[in-house]
Amino acid sequence: MKKYLSVLGLAFAMAGAQQTTEQRIEQLLVQMTPEEKAGQLSQLNSDWEDLTGPIVQKGKEDKVALIREGRLGSVLNVRSAAQTRMLQEHAMQSRLKIPLLFAQDVIHGFRTTFPVNLGQAASWDLALIERSERIAATEAAAYGIHWTFAPMIDISRDARWGRVMEGSGEDTFLGTEIAKARIRGFHGKGIGHTDALLTTAKHYAAYGAAVGGRDYNSVDMSLRELHQVYLPPFKAAAAMGVSTFMNAFNDLSGIPASAHPYLLREVLKKDWGFKGFVVSDWGSIGEMINHGYAANGKDAAQKALNAGTDMDMESRVYAQYLPELLKEGKISQKDLDDAVRRVLRMKFALGLFEDPYRFSDLSREKKYTNHKEHLEFSREFGSKSMVLLKNKGNLLPLSKELKNVALIGPFAKETVANHGFWSVPFKDDKDRIVSQYEGLKNALPKSTKLLYAKGAEVEGTDTSLFAEAVKAAEAADVVVLSLGEGHAMSGEAKSRSMLEFTGVQQQLLEAVHQTGKPIVLLINAGRPLVFNWASEHVDAIVYSWWLGTEAGNSIADVLLGKVNPSGKLPMSFPRSVGQVPVYYNHYNTGRPASSPTNRNYVSAYIDLDNGPAYPFGYGLSYTTFSYTPITLSATTLKGNTSLRVSVKVTNTGKTAGEEVVQLYIRDLVGRVVRPVRELKGFEKVHLNPSQTKEIVFTITPEMLSFYDDQLVWDWDAGEFEIMVGGDSTTQNKAKITWEK
Ligand code: GLC
């Protein structure tokens, strides 16, 4: 191999001057061969852990040899101090000793898991969300991981898409605030600390708008919709220094996101000034052949690198073709070196050139293997993510006088399922994760007997377990029925065409309902489901998502009243899959339906009421809250001033509780049509019985601004409605006029 030592590199070395990172990067660059540069831009799955995508490379390949030859820059899905150290040792045998980056999907916790992300969003508690990522980063970094492929910040209005479980739901404002909280949590005191992780804003972009809610399917939308609804979380992530971006699998209006010059070069790297690097999603560069956008792997590599994707996860086309493409002048030295600089900057930022093993620390790994405080936090977070949808006759919280409680359902004794999708499997999960049965057993008074029956499987037609379930129900004072969808029925490549309970669960519900016993329905899911019959017939419904390691305890805390539920839905729940996408911040149309049953020459279905089964922002409590009418600092404003909006919220019940006070604005006339309302602020407030607090929001013209069809970001003078309440249907309104 030709020696690559330049005068520059020699000068630096001889000067012995304290080199800046940029100087050290330049010194490396001038020494690197094209093959080593392509290696730095290549990431492969480890051979030790699970695959998180389809097999791309048939047959064995010697990853250790690639590492020792400096032809592999990053490895994903390896997670232990020992294995990361071992691989790093091989990297230190390479000619230039450039350390490896270890990456993992740390999506909703690591050794301690938390609610699936859509459940976390239901907490509307940015502090809890940030703390959960702080814990996740501390634990993952203790296992040798440098970089998480999180946060996933895809907005989605489509419950058929399985990956809604991984995001923050349908609203751009809430999704953007949560994205920022997650990045703060992962970064902690800053990249370079050994409990901080590099972050990834994914999936760039508009992956959640796949046609038909079918994963990996095409996305086609106006640039206005893209910038207005789907890009804000990514723009905010770039502005706060997210470390990397990850391509989405989809094509966006005909161009695959992995080679989309507008998204990558124009918006991300030029307009937003993004200094991190872009990694493809699993094999997505090579998949451009399937897309019909690349003729072969070499064409795919050329298009992706030229468009601004810096690192190739798993498709191997960068390693294979970049040197050749460089020689043929089909990619420029400038673009190649820019991509390598971006990757090397992150490795320097982590301190890996000073000490490649600083994250591979067995003592820290042991310390965070079963961390009491982390588990306690998981229990709290789980209870704060649950949403009370119905509570007829205040059946909940369960009375301490109950003699017999029957817990029935396919999820009641599940342990690992509570991890939800995108959790990192560990051998002791079965022993550590608290089942619903265990949680209730631990929490019920000794005087209350807990009966149990499985009742049904999650899928299939077998009803042979019904008899035992009905018997348990007949012997009980109250039935807790735990139904839903399997934990692996939402997540990646888990799109569903139907949203009802699977298998014979609905029949089980009706069989138990026949006994006449009061029913508390627990719904376990990673997405909105359709359960209209249950909504009409059962007494209480709690949406319990998948809550993580302490699930059973979190659920028991809410059912028994130790915690008053405070969750609010981050997505609209459809009445039928036929209604999807259904979302609160829709346009009014020229023929709006004035009520759920209005169908006459209006935008409605002839066979279904209008509006969602449960609206965005909805959630009940064991107490009640009242709102005063809105107080405004002015009703007519002019120019660049601000408006003070306040309400007084009172806890009018007997139990302390938390309420998410939500601020919505409607722009009545715009340069383009405007949504019937948009979330512009929220505050979660704790109130003791009879306590009143004033909640104040400040509105500025920036909050009224939007993109028009020319992509001009500005606000319009005119009339606006201000709404403040406990969900997106609040009619607590006031009107203002704001002139320019
Ligand atoms: C998967 C996912 C992506 C994940 C990556 C690595 O296909 O789309 O979110 O980070 O591969 O596991």
Side-chain angles (χ1 to χ4, degrees), residues 52-54 76-77 105 107 149 152 163 166 202-203 207 216 246 249 281-282 313 422 492:
T52 47
L76 70 145
N77 288 332
D105 293 283
I107 306 297
F149 295 136
M152 185 274 213
R163 299 195 79 162
E166 205 178 330
K202 75 180 188 183
H203 304 78
Y207 181 33
Y216 317 124
M246 182 186 288
F249 284 114
D281 199 343
W282 187 288
M313 181 198 299
W422 282 123
E492 183 176 357

Short mmCIF file of all heavy atoms in Angstrom, two decimals, residues 52-54 76-77 105 107 149 152 163 166 202-203 207 216 246 249 281-282 313 422 492, ligand 1:
data_model
loop_
_atom_site.label_atom_id
_atom_site.label_comp_id
_atom_site.label_asym_id
_atom_site.label_seq_id
_atom_site.Cartn_x
_atom_site.Cartn_y
_atom_site.Cartn_z
N THR A 52 -31.58 -6.50 12.89
CA THR A 52 -32.77 -5.63 12.95
C THR A 52 -33.17 -5.25 11.54
O THR A 52 -33.66 -4.16 11.30
CB THR A 52 -32.47 -4.37 13.79
OG1 THR A 52 -31.21 -3.85 13.36
CG2 THR A 52 -32.43 -4.68 15.26
N GLY A 53 -32.89 -6.16 10.61
CA GLY A 53 -33.30 -5.94 9.22
C GLY A 53 -33.04 -7.22 8.45
O GLY A 53 -32.48 -8.18 8.99
N PRO A 54 -33.42 -7.25 7.17
CA PRO A 54 -33.27 -8.45 6.36
C PRO A 54 -31.80 -8.74 6.07
O PRO A 54 -30.99 -7.82 5.99
CB PRO A 54 -34.02 -8.11 5.07
CG PRO A 54 -34.03 -6.63 5.01
CD PRO A 54 -34.03 -6.13 6.42
N LEU A 76 -23.11 -2.14 14.37
CA LEU A 76 -24.33 -1.98 15.18
C LEU A 76 -24.72 -3.32 15.79
O LEU A 76 -24.29 -4.38 15.32
CB LEU A 76 -25.49 -1.44 14.34
CG LEU A 76 -26.12 -2.34 13.27
CD1 LEU A 76 -27.60 -2.08 13.17
CD2 LEU A 76 -25.46 -2.09 11.92
N ASN A 77 -25.50 -3.24 16.84
CA ASN A 77 -26.02 -4.42 17.54
C ASN A 77 -24.92 -5.26 18.18
O ASN A 77 -24.95 -6.49 18.14
CB ASN A 77 -26.86 -5.30 16.60
CG ASN A 77 -28.19 -4.64 16.30
OD1 ASN A 77 -28.70 -3.86 17.12
ND2 ASN A 77 -28.73 -4.88 15.14
N ASP A 105 -30.06 0.45 18.62
CA ASP A 105 -31.38 1.07 18.75
C ASP A 105 -31.77 1.13 20.22
O ASP A 105 -32.31 0.16 20.74
CB ASP A 105 -32.43 0.25 17.98
CG ASP A 105 -32.18 0.30 16.50
OD1 ASP A 105 -32.52 1.33 15.89
OD2 ASP A 105 -31.61 -0.67 15.96
N ILE A 107 -34.29 2.71 22.03
CA ILE A 107 -35.47 3.45 21.59
C ILE A 107 -36.38 3.86 22.74
O ILE A 107 -36.94 4.95 22.76
CB ILE A 107 -36.27 2.61 20.56
CG1 ILE A 107 -35.36 2.18 19.41
CG2 ILE A 107 -37.51 3.32 20.07
CD1 ILE A 107 -34.79 3.31 18.59
N PHE A 149 -29.64 4.92 17.68
CA PHE A 149 -30.45 5.28 16.51
C PHE A 149 -31.80 5.80 17.02
O PHE A 149 -32.85 5.24 16.79
CB PHE A 149 -30.67 4.05 15.63
CG PHE A 149 -29.43 3.50 15.01
CD1 PHE A 149 -29.19 2.13 15.00
CD2 PHE A 149 -28.50 4.33 14.42
CE1 PHE A 149 -28.05 1.61 14.40
CE2 PHE A 149 -27.36 3.83 13.82
CZ PHE A 149 -27.13 2.46 13.81
N MET A 152 -36.59 8.51 17.25
CA MET A 152 -37.45 8.40 16.06
C MET A 152 -38.48 9.52 16.17
O MET A 152 -39.25 9.57 17.11
CB MET A 152 -38.11 7.03 16.04
CG MET A 152 -38.92 6.73 14.81
SD MET A 152 -40.61 7.35 14.95
CE MET A 152 -41.46 6.11 14.02
N ARG A 163 -45.17 1.55 13.04
CA ARG A 163 -44.11 2.28 13.73
C ARG A 163 -44.64 3.52 14.45
O ARG A 163 -43.87 4.26 15.06
CB ARG A 163 -42.99 2.65 12.75
CG ARG A 163 -42.35 1.42 12.16
CD ARG A 163 -41.05 1.67 11.47
NE ARG A 163 -39.95 1.80 12.43
CZ ARG A 163 -38.67 1.69 12.07
NH1 ARG A 163 -38.34 1.48 10.80
NH2 ARG A 163 -37.70 1.80 12.98
N GLU A 166 -43.38 3.91 17.94
CA GLU A 166 -42.01 4.35 18.18
C GLU A 166 -41.89 5.87 18.20
O GLU A 166 -40.85 6.41 18.56
CB GLU A 166 -41.21 3.79 17.00
CG GLU A 166 -39.80 3.54 17.14
CD GLU A 166 -39.26 2.96 15.82
OE1 GLU A 166 -39.98 2.26 15.08
OE2 GLU A 166 -38.10 3.23 15.55
N LYS A 202 -34.43 10.42 13.16
CA LYS A 202 -34.87 9.48 12.12
C LYS A 202 -36.38 9.41 12.08
O LYS A 202 -37.02 9.78 13.08
CB LYS A 202 -34.26 8.09 12.38
CG LYS A 202 -34.90 7.31 13.52
CD LYS A 202 -34.21 5.94 13.70
CE LYS A 202 -34.94 5.08 14.70
NZ LYS A 202 -34.27 3.79 14.94
N HIS A 203 -36.94 9.04 10.89
CA HIS A 203 -36.30 8.66 9.64
C HIS A 203 -36.57 9.78 8.65
O HIS A 203 -37.73 10.11 8.41
CB HIS A 203 -36.88 7.35 9.14
CG HIS A 203 -36.79 6.24 10.14
ND1 HIS A 203 -37.66 6.10 11.21
CD2 HIS A 203 -35.93 5.21 10.24
CE1 HIS A 203 -37.33 5.01 11.91
NE2 HIS A 203 -36.29 4.46 11.35
N TYR A 207 -41.46 9.46 6.67
CA TYR A 207 -41.64 7.99 6.66
C TYR A 207 -43.01 7.59 7.20
O TYR A 207 -43.60 6.61 6.80
CB TYR A 207 -40.52 7.41 7.49
CG TYR A 207 -40.38 5.93 7.66
CD1 TYR A 207 -40.73 5.01 6.68
CD2 TYR A 207 -39.84 5.43 8.84
CE1 TYR A 207 -40.56 3.65 6.87
CE2 TYR A 207 -39.66 4.07 9.04
CZ TYR A 207 -40.02 3.18 8.05
OH TYR A 207 -39.84 1.83 8.25
N TYR A 216 -42.63 1.09 4.56
CA TYR A 216 -41.70 1.18 3.42
C TYR A 216 -42.39 1.66 2.14
O TYR A 216 -41.73 1.79 1.11
CB TYR A 216 -40.99 -0.15 3.11
CG TYR A 216 -40.49 -0.93 4.29
CD1 TYR A 216 -40.89 -2.26 4.49
CD2 TYR A 216 -39.64 -0.37 5.22
CE1 TYR A 216 -40.43 -2.98 5.58
CE2 TYR A 216 -39.17 -1.09 6.31
CZ TYR A 216 -39.57 -2.40 6.49
OH TYR A 216 -39.13 -3.12 7.57
N MET A 246 -30.81 9.85 10.03
CA MET A 246 -30.91 8.58 9.33
C MET A 246 -31.95 8.69 8.22
O MET A 246 -33.04 9.22 8.43
CB MET A 246 -31.32 7.45 10.28
CG MET A 246 -31.39 6.07 9.60
SD MET A 246 -32.02 4.77 10.68
CE MET A 246 -30.66 4.53 11.78
N PHE A 249 -36.72 4.86 4.57
CA PHE A 249 -36.72 3.85 3.51
C PHE A 249 -37.50 4.29 2.28
O PHE A 249 -37.27 3.83 1.17
CB PHE A 249 -37.37 2.54 4.01
CG PHE A 249 -36.52 1.73 4.92
CD1 PHE A 249 -36.87 1.54 6.24
CD2 PHE A 249 -35.35 1.13 4.45
CE1 PHE A 249 -36.09 0.77 7.09
CE2 PHE A 249 -34.57 0.35 5.30
CZ PHE A 249 -34.94 0.18 6.62
N ASP A 281 -30.55 3.95 6.33
CA ASP A 281 -31.20 2.94 7.14
C ASP A 281 -30.78 1.58 6.58
O ASP A 281 -30.24 1.47 5.49
CB ASP A 281 -32.73 3.13 7.14
CG ASP A 281 -33.37 2.41 8.31
OD1 ASP A 281 -32.71 1.53 8.91
OD2 ASP A 281 -34.52 2.73 8.65
N TRP A 282 -31.05 0.55 7.31
CA TRP A 282 -30.59 -0.81 7.01
C TRP A 282 -30.72 -1.17 5.53
O TRP A 282 -31.82 -1.45 5.05
CB TRP A 282 -31.39 -1.80 7.84
CG TRP A 282 -30.92 -3.19 7.76
CD1 TRP A 282 -31.03 -4.03 6.69
CD2 TRP A 282 -30.25 -3.94 8.79
NE1 TRP A 282 -30.48 -5.24 6.99
CE2 TRP A 282 -29.99 -5.22 8.26
CE3 TRP A 282 -29.85 -3.67 10.08
CZ2 TRP A 282 -29.35 -6.22 8.98
CZ3 TRP A 282 -29.21 -4.66 10.82
CH2 TRP A 282 -28.95 -5.91 10.27
N MET A 313 -25.26 1.85 5.95
CA MET A 313 -25.55 0.76 6.88
C MET A 313 -25.94 -0.47 6.09
O MET A 313 -26.96 -0.46 5.39
CB MET A 313 -26.70 1.14 7.83
CG MET A 313 -27.05 0.07 8.84
SD MET A 313 -28.67 0.26 9.61
CE MET A 313 -28.53 1.82 10.43
N TRP A 422 -38.79 -2.97 19.66
CA TRP A 422 -37.60 -2.12 19.77
C TRP A 422 -37.06 -2.09 21.20
O TRP A 422 -36.64 -1.05 21.70
CB TRP A 422 -37.85 -0.69 19.29
CG TRP A 422 -37.87 -0.56 17.82
CD1 TRP A 422 -38.88 -0.06 17.06
CD2 TRP A 422 -36.86 -0.97 16.90
NE1 TRP A 422 -38.56 -0.15 15.74
CE2 TRP A 422 -37.32 -0.69 15.59
CE3 TRP A 422 -35.60 -1.55 17.02
CZ2 TRP A 422 -36.61 -0.96 14.44
CZ3 TRP A 422 -34.87 -1.83 15.89
CH2 TRP A 422 -35.37 -1.54 14.61
N GLU A 492 -41.63 -2.11 13.50
CA GLU A 492 -41.22 -2.10 12.10
C GLU A 492 -41.79 -3.29 11.34
O GLU A 492 -41.81 -4.40 11.85
CB GLU A 492 -39.70 -2.10 11.96
CG GLU A 492 -39.30 -2.02 10.50
CD GLU A 492 -37.82 -1.93 10.26
OE1 GLU A 492 -37.07 -1.86 11.24
OE2 GLU A 492 -37.42 -1.92 9.08
C1 GLC B 1 -34.16 -0.70 11.01
C2 GLC B 1 -34.94 0.56 11.30
C3 GLC B 1 -34.12 1.65 11.89
C4 GLC B 1 -33.05 1.05 12.78
C5 GLC B 1 -32.09 0.28 11.89
C6 GLC B 1 -31.00 -0.43 12.70
O1 GLC B 1 -34.53 -1.21 9.75
O2 GLC B 1 -35.69 1.11 10.23
O3 GLC B 1 -35.01 2.52 12.61
O4 GLC B 1 -32.37 2.07 13.49
O5 GLC B 1 -32.75 -0.65 11.07
O6 GLC B 1 -31.57 -1.36 13.53
#
